[in-house]
Amino acid sequence: MERLVQGTRVLQVDPVNPEPEVVAKAAALLRDGDVVAFPTETVYGLGANALDGEAVGRIFAAKGRPSDNPLIVHIADTAQLEGLVASVPAKAERLMDCYWPGPLTLVMHKGPAVPPEVTGGLDTVGIRMPDHPVALALIRAAGVPVAAPSANVSGKPSPTAAEHVLEDLAGRIPAVLDGGETGVGVESTVLDVTTDPPVILRPGGVTREELEAAIGPVELASMSGECEKPRSPGMKYRHYAPRAPLILVDGPVLEMQEKIRDLAMEYAEEGKRVGILCSAESRGVYVASVVLEYGARGDLAGIASDLFATLRAFDRHQVDVIIAEGVPEEGLGLAIMNRLRRAAGGRVIKI
Ligand code: TXA
Ligand code: MG
């Protein structure tokens, strides 16, 4: 089934057994040097032939993305690493065995096949093998590695459904493969394996605990994004942000709830429409114009899966300010808090 939204083709595809004839249409666009959006297990990506600098340039244009922010190259087979990377460190090999396909991007020294547009001029390249039948089928059918950032307009929450891609990019891209909602909901973990110990540049779907179980200690890069030259260029930009300013409150549950109630009251007295983003357990605690829950506190995977869609939902409710509850920073909580901090752009209250 195919429909058009402002000129963008929406190609319905079975997420478990993708129809080859549908995938072929998207692959043809990639081979022709164009871009196409597709589902992965984390978020939707906006892909182009990673070996074609001009095609990759179209990704930056469609997203309004700063050209110094490098893209992740997606592969379907480790044989595709040839030419993309200069060498594969032993720890990287072990991680590929454990977590590929999956939400783990490995930053390695780049090989000669990678055009400078992909890496923003860096001498390293981030590579991952996505764990989604549609993404894998698309890469195989295209016959080339696929460079893809998240398929959102720069600065917005990443898309976890084709509808989100269309909200941001309808009329700006030729097509999106609609394979339903993604699963993990936050993007891949970006791990720099050019140093030992390796460094997490962006926490994501594979947790620090899982990485350390496979290869021993890993470090966590400073996430402030305020240093002179961030190791991951993506860290310095405001991201994941709904339209209204977001304030993140973090601390023990009862204190956090009390602080959020106080803030909500203050803003309401100023005549503002207040939105609150909280756990299922806290829902009854708050009185505000809009209270949206991101899931149960005990189920971090569930929270990760719904987080970006819930952030986007606040735009439809037209609130003036959003106050968000933090989660514990263990397991997937590290990635969730990283996205909430970035959405808050520095407005974090730690109790
Ligand atoms: O789950 C994901 O990773 C999704 C799906 C589509 O695969 N992709 C994604 O791409 O989130 P993007 O472009 O939105 O985020 C990539 C992040 C950015 O923060 C970028 O700066 C960092 O990875 N990155 C990419 N290549 C890098 C490199 N060579 N060195 C350091 N950081 C790099
Ligand atoms: Mg992104």
Side-chain angles (χ1 to χ4, degrees), residues 93-331:
E93 205 140 343
R94 170 110 184 98
L95 289 168
M96 289 175 195
D97 284 344
C98 294
Y99 300 116
W100 278 10
L104 175 64
T105 295
L106 298 171
V107 172
M108 295 175 273
H109 290 294
K110 84 178 188 81
V114 183
E117 288 85 352
V118 170
T119 63
L122 297 176
D123 62 358
T124 57
V125 61
I127 303 201
R128 88 175 187 101
M129 188 186 293
D131 188 14
H132 193 294
V134 173
L136 293 170
L138 176 66
I139 299 164
R140 289 199 187 102
V144 289
V146 174
S150 48
N152 51 295
V153 159
S154 250
K156 288 260 148 209
S158 297
T160 53
E163 286 315 308
H164 305 158
V165 177
L166 292 167
E167 264 170 33
D168 283 12
L169 299 175
R172 303 175 70 157
I173 58 173
V176 53
L177 276 170
D178 181 354
E181 285 175 25
T182 60
V184 179
V186 291
E187 302 89 337
S188 63
T189 302
V190 179
L191 184 73
D192 184 348
V193 289
T194 65
T195 59
D196 203 3
V199 179
I200 296 176
L201 301 181
R202 177 181 73 181
V206 173
T207 64
R208 178 180 195 167
E209 294 85 343
E210 287 168 329
L211 295 173
E212 294 191 327
I215 58 163
V218 299
E219 282 171 8
L220 187 60
S222 139
M223 294 296 159
S224 70
E226 279 155 17
C227 47
E228 187 87 354
K229 192 166 185 301
R231 286 185 64 168
S232 179
M235 292 197 296
K236 70 183 179 219
Y237 301 106
R238 179 156 187 250
H239 212 330
Y240 312 113
R243 237 174 261 137
L246 183 146
I247 299 160
L248 174 61
V249 181
D250 183 27
V253 176
L254 290 178
E255 283 89 334
M256 194 165 65
Q257 289 175 338
E258 193 180 313
K259 181 74 196 171
I260 292 176
R261 274 201 307 256
D262 289 349
L263 282 173
M265 204 136 67
E266 281 171 34
Y267 284 119
E269 275 164 12
E270 290 170 19
K272 291 202 163 109
R273 252 177 86 74
V274 178
I276 292 177
L277 175 61
C278 63
S279 64
E281 293 87 338
S282 294
R283 203 194 160 102
V285 169
Y286 304 119
V287 180
S289 300
V290 183
V291 182
L292 299 180
E293 48 181 271
Y294 48 45
R297 239 180 126 67
D299 176 17
L300 292 172
I303 295 178
S305 171
D306 288 352
L307 181 66
F308 290 146
T310 315
L311 285 174
R312 273 179 185 265
F314 281 108
D315 284 353
R316 286 194 292 281
H317 288 288
Q318 311 220 325
V319 294
D320 301 308
V321 60
I322 301 162
I323 312 168
E325 273 185 1
V327 299
E329 272 179 287
E330 57 204 35

